Amino acid sequence: MYEPNTLLDKATELFWQKGYQATSMRDIQQALDLRPGSLYSRFQGKSELFEKVIVHYAEQILARLEQTAQSEDGFEATGDMFRQELIKPAELRYQRQCLLLNALAQSSKLEDRAAQALEHAMAKMLQGFIGLAAALQEKSLISGEVAPAQVGQWLQIQFVGLRNAAYFANDDEQVMYFIDKLIIDLQSEWPAS
Amino acid sequence: MYEPNTLLDKATELFWQKGYQATSMRDIQQALDLRPGSLYSRFQGKSELFEKVIVHYAEQILARLEQTAQSEDGFEATGDMFRQELIKPAELRYQRQCLLLNALAQSSKLEDRAAQALEHAMAKMLQGFIGLAAALQEKSLISGEVAPAQVGQWLQIQFVGLRNAAYFANDDEQVMYFIDKLIIDLQSEWPAS
DNA sequence: CCCTTACTTGAACATTTGTTCAAATAGTTT
DNA sequence: AAACTATTTGAACAAATGTTCAAGTAAGGG
């Protein structure tokens, strides 16, 4: 009998790599050397398992965002966070993508409960970015005239866009260049809303 | 017998709405009131159909990018292009996402031929953005010291990020705000590569 | 009117998938 | 060791999906 976390970690890895639909219960069973019943004795079904995976994944992202917000050197920490999240060795290439966004692309096949968890996780992630934006303003690093919600959403836009770029990037320097640009633009002018 | 374009347009719509895997051949047959054989007499299978859809879709995006690049007023045209692509009424919400990116999230289930078409389409799209960047530099609207490839890729990053934001946005003004920010940042400082 | 060609039909097949369940096994308590 | 509970096993089911194909229908030329 596996530790619950081992099981969830492996499931997360598979869903992350291949997406929700493309990952079959048999894939998970095989990866963990489990028989169907053993899996279904711990989770009601694929939907619930995926829901748990989403929550687990979102918690990790959120923790990293909060940790970044609490850091001393705001820009440095923000840049580091982006770099840590986006620069991965080739064998972990799949982690440059976002499990939540991948899931979103297949949300039409998600059952209600998983779809709801996904929406909730996305909202949580946005809250994390808004918290980071507020922290940067607190330190007077960026203009206080813009609503933190705006800056936070902008950060998330950059995050999403960069994930796709990182997925296709050949070398790390390309990605780091755009992270530098991001830090500059954080400090550049913000339109009047 | 349907016009080939009617058929491809409807298939595009379905794939765009629901993604590759979630769209079954039966869905397409039903939407066009066709029987299996009729569909298979025009396309070898789902893979080839999707390949045609991808090429068709990429051509449209590329055409819009090239048209934008040729426009007189560079920034205005660029902003308009983003607005046209991202601001859609609720019933066309699915068009705020990118068919290519959706497909990418499920690429593990794509057959070689479709995966190759997808990769090719993505590269084409990037070329379109780079062309737009070069055109903006030609008009001396942005710094000529940065390689067009960098600016082009940056534009694509913004495009991808904004698509996701637009998909979740409640009102159009939110999206337009970030497009304004984008135009500002185009003109702000670029890091030394 | 017939013959040939092209297209359509609708049933069927093979495979994959999520899921269930009675029987067997392992683990724990008395 | 026996009795009881919890977990695992492996076969099986039902539904969905991509695809095929022989038979039927329509179209057009001679």
Side-chain angles (χ1 to χ4, degrees), chain A residues 134-155:
Chain A
L136 291 173
Q137 286 184 322
E138 199 87 7
K139 301 191 185 73
S140 300
L141 289 171
I142 57 176
S143 159
E145 290 180 26
V146 194
Q150 300 278 64
V151 180
Q153 188 154 22
W154 182 84
L155 279 171

Side-chain angles (χ1 to χ4, degrees), chain A residues 64 68 75-85 179 183:
Chain A
R64 180 154 291 179
T68 307
F75 288 142
E76 186 75 14
T78 303
D80 283 346
M81 189 273 280
F82 272 85
R83 278 183 282 271
Q84 274 178 40
E85 211 68 28
I179 296 177
I183 300 292

